Amino acid sequence: MNENDNVQQNTAKKKKGAVNIDQLTGLPLMRSYWNLVAEKIESNPVCSTMMSVNILNFQYFNKWYGRDKGDALLAELGKYFQQLCHDHDMIAGYMGNDYFSVFFKEDADLVDALIESVKLIVGRYMTDPLFRPVWGGYKYTDGDTTDAIDMYDYTIMAIGKCYIYSYADINWFSEGMARDLATTVDLMPRIQRAMANNEFTIYLQPKCQIVDGRIVGAEALVRWITADGEMISPGKFISFLEKNGYITQLDQHVWEITCQTIRHWMDTGLPVVPVSINVSRIDIQNMDVVRILTEMVHKYQIPVSTLEIEITESAYVENEGVVKETEEALKRNGFKIIIDDFGSGYSSLNMLKDVDADVLKLDMRFLDFSNGNRGRGINIIYSIIDMARQIDLPIIVEGIETLEQIELLSMMGCEYVQGYYFYQPMSIESFETLISDKNNVTTSNIHKRKMTRSYLQDITAYFWKVAEVNPWTGEYHFIKKSEVKDGIMSPRPQTIEDYSKRYVETGMVHQSDSDAFIHETSIVATQLQIAKNQHRRRVHLRCMKDGRYVWITFECIVPNVFSKSNPWVLYTWKIADTDVAARQDTMNLIDKTCKTILKMDGYTGMCEIIQIDSEEENLGYHISKHFDTWNHNIIDNHLIHPEELQAYKKFTDVKHMTERLALSDNPLRFQYRRMVGDIYRWVCMTVSRSLDYTDEHPILMVMVQYINYLYEPYSPEEFSETDSVKSLLNNLVFAAHINITNETFISAQDLATVEFATGVASDTNYMVGVRRLVKELVLPEFKEAYMAFMNREWLLEKFGEGHTSLFFEHQRLVDGVPKWHLTFLVLYRDKKTGHIMGTEYVYNIDSQKRIELELKASVAASEN
């Protein structure tokens, strides 16, 4: 080996066994490299350069292309650095993973050569810019006392700046980085002592209802208050902790204090409002956030609904996969998710389709208008609020400081805000004093009103407008609202009744329908509907749309999930006559369920065939233009079951149908068996007035449809205790199964002692039991009506007319006290025997009925 050979090899010879060589790259390993650099500085302390290189995202390269290819790249880089060590006075080392470091006498040309050569080598293996070499450098000067290890650390720190701030190939360690490092050295011990001395605490900033400023929640914000009372601004230590990864320790401390505070409220009887905590991208990457938060909730025994999670929008953008996975796990454990700083990123609108957040927190920077962009900013806010409303995603706007901002947001329909206009962040003690006055607090419907996405999509697709309404308080929230004039009501009406009055006053409802609109949208009308257990209530009236009055159907719907804890009903507006999509859906439904549809002149019997099935078409029935001809063809081909044939002939007499419909607009129905293929199937013929019907020209609609699903045979095992209706409806008193055709009692379940005492189920003839029940329990004013309701002939007549469910309200004695009951009777035909069967359910509706009667009395009194 000549005198120009590599210095590190000479050193290795002199200190046999002191240099550990990596087998793959052929270069000294980290500690050996540091020793060689230290010896070089000691022997020849001249101006020198240390450069370290890392290949971005190398771990993904190994996963995508295989470790063998990754190892081949590292080996080639090792050979290149070995060659440099032969050709130049250089020391090179392999530092582990995909990190290399070199130390050499200051040479600007060699710096450039290193950068370009390594880039070419990496490029032969990786063409994707995702994988690129980045360098960090440190310049050693005469008199510098920095040792080899610190120099290497500085190069790694410089590489970190490349990740964050630029796409430069190299970043040099600078005085600014040195100051940051000094700050770290000074601040870190202070933070550790502050943690130990409980100098870090939380301040709470209320989240408020915009209409009255009442508190619906709070956000926990960290504060550092030193032992001498100095408050250190979060801006001085948060970013530092984030850079160094110590933010996770502080965040856990904040979460713990928040849980302790909520527990204290529960123990002392203070109102408990949900408090949100901040979870950063660094938290999610560096610790098991879901496990830690779940354990804290269990440790302090607080409802999971009281601890809400705020995740910044930027976290989703920067590391979507990991954050999305954490979000899903948090929601599975019951936590509510708030997207913080929404609007500050570059993919805000696009990200909403992929995240399952419960609330958006809109960045107040949208409201910081300059003279030049005010109009554009307002349009952006309105678009975001409207878009969120369409998918039922509530919004809180933070950073609100002025009355102008409040008025603007109120006009746009925003319901919740956070900011100095109402409250600054405050100590826990000050917040507790505030909420101890219950007039300052209200129960929020931010989460309670939130429904499933698919349900909302169905709702908004079929209705012109949809609002959620609390029938006890009058609070409301529009899920869908399309017209411009409606959208700019300012100030926003506080209750749904205020909204309705304003709607009428602005001419949005036809004058003739104004009173009906005011009444139907009142909370009294909705309370009556709830008391009657009425699922839907509707009225047709005219509203202004596109400059003209059109007929709409207003409907109040009480959802199945309605309860005291979820007291929200739906108010819907739907175009009555011009909704083409709805009509098309109706025609599709008719096409699938109706076998035959005819439009018939009630005087002449002439028909227009609207729909006919393929079987009838093959038999040539479509050629007939007269109902009697069509009907006789069906009879003559023996398509009607013999047991129903005579009744069928009587029902289908054209003159008889026309006369009956002249007396009432209620449809006529007849259920019978008809041959389909080679078996009889149950069908129903419905005859009703056409929209073209007049007394002078009675046009009728005749429809035949399959209804075999109504006639399921009774099986005793279907009514086992485990499957009893009582398990679904707590107010069910008892259920009985009867054969109406032969007037026999089949079975019963959940009969109370009093029913057995009166012998309701003691005889095979169910009318014997009915008479005993009426004699012993039913109040005198209901006895005659109850007997008529259970009369066999009347029930058979009703079933023949197409009625499959009947109900009757009455009072009967329970422990000697009159109680309101509802008898609900389901009628069906047994498929095997053809007998008319009935399932009788008896419910105790006393509390609901008394509420209804009280409300009616209240309405009558107010009208008088």
Side-chain angles (χ1 to χ4, degrees):
M1 185 177 294
N2 59 44
E3 60 185 3
N4 295 322
D5 282 344
N6 184 272
V7 171
Q8 76 182 46
Q9 292 176 336
N10 290 332
T11 305
K13 277 186 175 182
K14 293 176 184 177
K15 298 181 178 287
K16 290 183 180 180
V19 178
N20 293 317
I21 302 296
D22 176 62
Q23 293 184 356
L24 178 64
T25 63
L27 296 176
L29 291 168
M30 179 185 289
R31 191 158 295 280
S32 294
Y33 169 73
W34 288 337
N35 291 337
L36 291 171
V37 171
E39 292 171 6
K40 178 66 175 175
I41 293 173
E42 184 180 352
S43 63
N44 188 20
V46 297
C47 293
S48 303
T49 299
M50 181 180 282
M51 292 172 57
S52 300
V53 64
N54 167 240
I55 302 170
L56 283 179
N57 302 305
F58 185 74
Q59 70 274 24
Y60 296 115
F61 180 85
N62 278 335
K63 289 181 180 179
W64 295 352
Y65 300 106
R67 187 167 295 277
D68 290 344
K69 193 170 183 180
D71 286 349
L73 170 60
L74 296 178
E76 185 170 345
L77 286 172
K79 289 180 181 178
Y80 168 70
F81 288 124
Q82 287 182 60
Q83 186 62 46
L84 285 178
C85 291
H86 282 84
D87 297 343
H88 300 274
D89 187 12
M90 176 184 288
I91 303 172
Y94 175 61
M95 315 306 283
N97 294 324
D98 54 321
Y99 284 85
F100 294 85
S101 187
V102 293
F103 183 79
F104 54 92
K105 184 178 179 181
E106 187 174 9
D107 185 339
D109 292 337
L110 185 55
V111 170
D112 294 338
L114 275 166
I115 292 171
E116 293 304 318
S117 297
V118 170
K119 192 184 296 182
L120 288 172
I121 293 171
V122 172
R124 287 200 295 268
Y125 289 82
M126 310 170 177
T127 57
D128 195 315
L130 178 68
F131 311 106
R132 66 182 181 92
V134 290
W135 294 81
Y138 179 83
K139 294 182 179 180
Y140 177 85
T141 58
D142 189 21
D144 195 338
T145 59
T146 306
D147 63 24
I149 296 176
D150 286 343
M151 272 192 279
Y152 177 71
D153 287 342
Y154 296 160
T155 64
I156 297 303
M157 186 181 296
I159 287 176
K161 299 295 183 180
C162 282
Y163 298 157
I164 300 171
Y165 296 116
S166 73
Y167 283 91
D169 294 318
I170 187 170
N171 196 44
W172 295 96
F173 184 78
S174 64
E175 291 183 5
M177 293 183 203
R179 286 193 298 271
D180 288 346
L181 186 60
T183 300
T184 300
V185 172
D186 174 64
L187 197 56
M188 198 61 226
R190 292 185 63 194
I191 290 176
Q192 293 291 350
R193 288 194 298 272
M195 286 275 196
N197 297 331
N198 291 319
E199 293 180 7
F200 287 102
T201 185
I202 62 171
Y203 268 38
L204 297 170
Q205 185 171 32
K207 301 173 185 177
C208 299
Q209 199 166 250
I210 196 170
V211 68
D212 55 15
R214 288 193 292 170
I215 297 169
V216 297
E219 179 182 3
L221 303 168
V222 66
R223 291 293 184 268
W224 182 0
I225 304 174
T226 64
D228 57 6
E230 178 191 2
M231 181 179 289
I232 299 177
S233 168
K236 292 184 178 180
F237 61 87
I238 292 293
S239 59
F240 161 75
L241 292 174
E242 287 177 340
K243 290 176 185 177
N244 292 278
Y246 294 111
I247 192 67
T248 56
Q249 186 178 352
L250 179 61
D251 283 345
Q252 286 191 64
H253 182 68
V254 168
W255 303 345
E256 187 98 24
I257 295 175
T258 303
C259 292
Q260 291 171 355
T261 302
I262 295 171
R263 180 69 254 175
H264 173 69
W265 296 344
M266 295 172 65
D267 292 339
T268 57
L270 283 169
V272 178
V273 298
V275 180
S276 60
I277 56 173
N278 289 280
V279 174
S280 70
R281 171 182 54 84
I282 299 171
D283 292 330
I284 293 172
Q285 288 176 337
N286 295 339
M287 59 182 174
D288 188 347
V289 169
V290 180
R291 178 187 59 79
I292 292 170
L293 289 175
T294 303
E295 288 178 354
M296 283 187 183
V297 167
H298 291 161
K299 174 182 176 181
Y300 292 100
Q301 292 295 296
I302 62 174
V304 70
S305 60
T306 61
L307 189 68
E308 300 175 347
I309 313 300
E310 294 199 18
I311 303 175
T312 60
E313 177 197 355
S314 60
Y316 284 95
V317 175
E318 293 169 11
N319 203 341
E320 181 181 358
V322 175
V323 175
K324 186 72 173 70
E325 184 178 321
T326 302
E327 172 210 88
E328 292 172 351
L330 285 168
K331 288 188 70 69
R332 284 196 299 270
N333 282 273
F335 291 99
K336 302 297 183 184
I337 304 297
I338 300 172
I339 298 182
D340 192 16
D341 287 340
F342 184 79
S344 60
Y346 294 96
S347 58
S348 301
L349 303 183
N350 184 57
M351 70 177 288
L352 285 184
K353 72 179 190 301
D354 299 319
V355 302
D356 189 21
D358 297 281
V359 180
L360 292 186
K361 184 177 273 193
L362 184 62
D363 194 314
M364 58 80 62
R365 277 171 280 183
F366 272 132
L367 306 180
D368 186 19
F369 308 132
S370 65
N371 292 332
N373 66 1
R374 179 181 175 84
R376 185 182 179 197
I378 291 175
N379 288 335
I380 291 173
I381 299 168
Y382 185 81
S383 298
I384 292 176
I385 291 175
D386 187 61
M387 171 197 64
R389 186 162 47 223
Q390 296 286 349
I391 60 175
D392 195 41
L393 197 56
I395 280 186
I396 298 175
V397 180
E398 63 178 332
I400 303 305
E401 298 181 355
T402 67
L403 177 61
E404 180 188 14
Q405 292 171 338
I406 288 289
E407 290 176 341
L408 176 65
L409 291 169
S410 180
M411 179 189 72
M412 292 178 176
C414 179
E415 297 173 83
Y416 305 99
V417 294
Q418 177 183 342
Y420 279 36
Y421 179 80
F422 285 118
Y423 299 103
Q424 297 183 21
M426 63 187 71
S427 66
I428 297 173
E429 293 76 17
S430 298
F431 186 81
E432 289 175 348
T433 300
L434 188 64
I435 63 174
S436 63
D437 182 351
K438 295 185 179 180
N439 292 323
N440 293 329
V441 182
T442 185
T443 302
S444 165
N445 70 321
I446 294 178
H447 301 304
K448 290 179 181 177
R449 74 179 183 220
K450 196 172 190 310
M451 306 176 211
T452 62
R453 295 286 174 87
S454 59
Y455 176 57
L456 283 171
Q457 289 169 355
D458 290 340
I459 289 292
T460 57
Y462 284 96
F463 293 99
W464 175 36
K465 294 196 300 181
V466 182
E468 268 189 318
V469 176
N470 185 322
W472 313 120
T473 66
E475 294 176 79
Y476 68 101
H477 153 69
F478 272 98
I479 298 171
K480 181 178 182 181
K481 184 167 61 173
S482 57
E483 63 191 281
V484 176
K485 189 171 184 179
D486 190 10
I488 60 172
M489 284 190 177
S490 178
R492 181 180 185 271
Q494 293 190 18
T495 69
I496 191 65
E497 292 179 328
D498 294 337
Y499 172 87
S500 298
K501 291 175 183 176
R502 184 91 58 83
Y503 205 65
V504 168
E505 290 168 359
T506 53
M508 299 302 293
V509 180
H510 194 281
Q511 186 175 0
S512 301
D513 300 325
S514 297
D515 290 343
F517 181 77
I518 293 293
H519 172 72
E520 293 297 331
T521 56
S522 69
I523 61 174
V524 171
T526 304
Q527 290 170 0
L528 276 171
Q529 176 183 347
I530 294 167
K532 294 168 65 176
N533 286 329
Q534 186 178 348
H535 177 56
R536 310 177 87 100
R537 168 173 56 87
R538 64 170 63 108
V539 63
H540 301 290
L541 39 82
R542 287 158 289 182
C543 288
M544 181 69 71
K545 187 177 188 299
D546 300 329
R548 65 188 183 91
Y549 288 110
V550 298
W551 281 100
I552 63 105
T553 300
F554 170 80
E555 189 168 23
C556 176
I557 303 171
V558 182
N560 292 332
V561 295
F562 179 86
S563 65
K564 288 183 179 179
S565 61
N566 187 30
W568 299 95
V569 301
L570 290 178
Y571 279 15
T572 67
W573 289 255
K574 183 177 177 65
I575 306 302
D577 295 326
T578 58
D579 195 328
V580 177
R583 289 191 304 190
Q584 185 61 47
D585 287 343
T586 302
M587 291 308 297
N588 291 340
L589 182 63
I590 289 173
D591 183 65
K592 292 177 181 178
T593 59
C594 290
K595 180 178 177 64
T596 303
I597 304 176
L598 306 175
K599 191 172 185 178
M600 179 180 71
D601 187 316
Y603 283 156
T604 66
M606 297 302 295
C607 286
E608 173 188 352
I609 297 177
I610 297 175
Q611 178 170 304
I612 197 167
D613 71 2
S614 57
E615 182 182 58
E616 292 181 346
E617 193 168 297
N618 292 336
L619 292 173
Y621 296 166
H622 63 288
I623 299 174
S624 171
K625 298 297 182 182
H626 198 281
F627 180 83
D628 284 343
T629 306
W630 171 82
N631 198 36
H632 290 154
N633 285 339
I634 291 175
I635 294 172
D636 293 341
N637 279 279
H638 308 291
L639 298 182
I640 307 301
H641 194 283
E643 292 183 11
E644 286 94 36
L645 181 58
Q646 294 304 315
Y648 176 86
K649 290 179 179 179
K650 179 180 179 181
F651 179 84
T652 54
D653 180 86
V654 173
K655 182 179 179 182
H656 181 61
M657 288 190 292
T658 305
E659 289 174 349
R660 290 181 66 185
L661 285 171
L663 300 175
S664 172
D665 60 359
N666 292 328
L668 309 177
R669 292 185 179 89
F670 180 74
Q671 297 163 353
Y672 58 100
R673 283 168 286 184
R674 171 174 168 164
M675 183 69 71
V676 178
D678 56 355
I679 62 170
Y680 285 106
R681 292 187 59 181
W682 284 99
V683 297
C684 178
M685 179 181 290
T686 302
V687 185
S688 61
R689 292 181 179 182
S690 165
L691 291 175
D692 300 326
Y693 180 96
T694 64
D695 291 337
E696 296 75 25
H697 196 185
I699 304 300
L700 310 181
M701 297 297 298
V702 180
M703 293 181 290
V704 180
Q705 65 186 114
Y706 297 113
I707 57 165
N708 55 298
Y709 61 90
L710 294 175
Y711 308 119
E712 295 300 328
Y714 162 68
S715 301
E717 62 271 19
E718 291 179 4
F719 301 101
S720 65
E721 181 63 25
T722 56
D723 295 325
S724 71
V725 182
K726 188 174 182 182
S727 65
L728 301 176
L729 298 169
N730 293 329
N731 59 348
L732 178 65
V733 177
F734 73 92
H737 311 291
I738 57 178
N739 185 321
I740 298 172
T741 299
N742 58 22
E743 208 170 274
T744 57
F745 179 88
I746 298 174
S747 67
Q749 64 182 60
D750 297 318
L751 287 175
T753 304
V754 68
E755 275 82 40
F756 281 110
T758 54
V760 170
S762 61
D763 198 292
T764 56
N765 187 310
Y766 76 81
M767 282 306 295
V768 173
V770 169
R771 282 189 286 271
R772 288 175 178 167
L773 178 68
V774 169
K775 180 181 178 181
E776 298 289 336
L777 300 178
V778 177
L779 266 62
E781 57 267 37
F782 297 100
K783 291 181 182 292
E784 184 176 347
Y786 194 100
M787 290 297 297
F789 177 80
M790 295 300 296
N791 181 268
R792 173 181 178 274
E793 285 69 31
W794 185 78
L795 292 176
L796 292 175
E797 179 182 350
K798 286 297 179 182
F799 184 79
E801 293 174 357
H803 297 278
T804 57
S805 61
L806 304 166
F807 66 90
F808 175 69
E809 294 180 354
H810 64 284
Q811 279 186 299
R812 50 186 288 198
L813 296 175
V814 177
D815 297 330
V817 179
K819 298 286 186 181
W820 281 98
H821 283 69
L822 171 71
T823 297
F824 180 67
L825 192 59
V826 178
L827 307 178
Y828 60 97
R829 189 189 297 269
D830 188 286
K831 188 184 294 183
K832 294 179 180 179
T833 65
H835 290 177
I836 309 304
M837 314 294 288
T839 301
E840 179 188 11
Y841 301 99
V842 178
Y843 302 90
N844 186 328
I845 60 167
D846 191 71
S847 59
Q848 298 96 319
K849 187 67 176 179
R850 293 186 186 282
I851 292 173
E852 176 187 346
L853 293 174
E854 289 173 3
L855 286 171
K856 285 181 177 179
S858 175
V859 172
S862 63
E863 290 176 349
N864 293 332

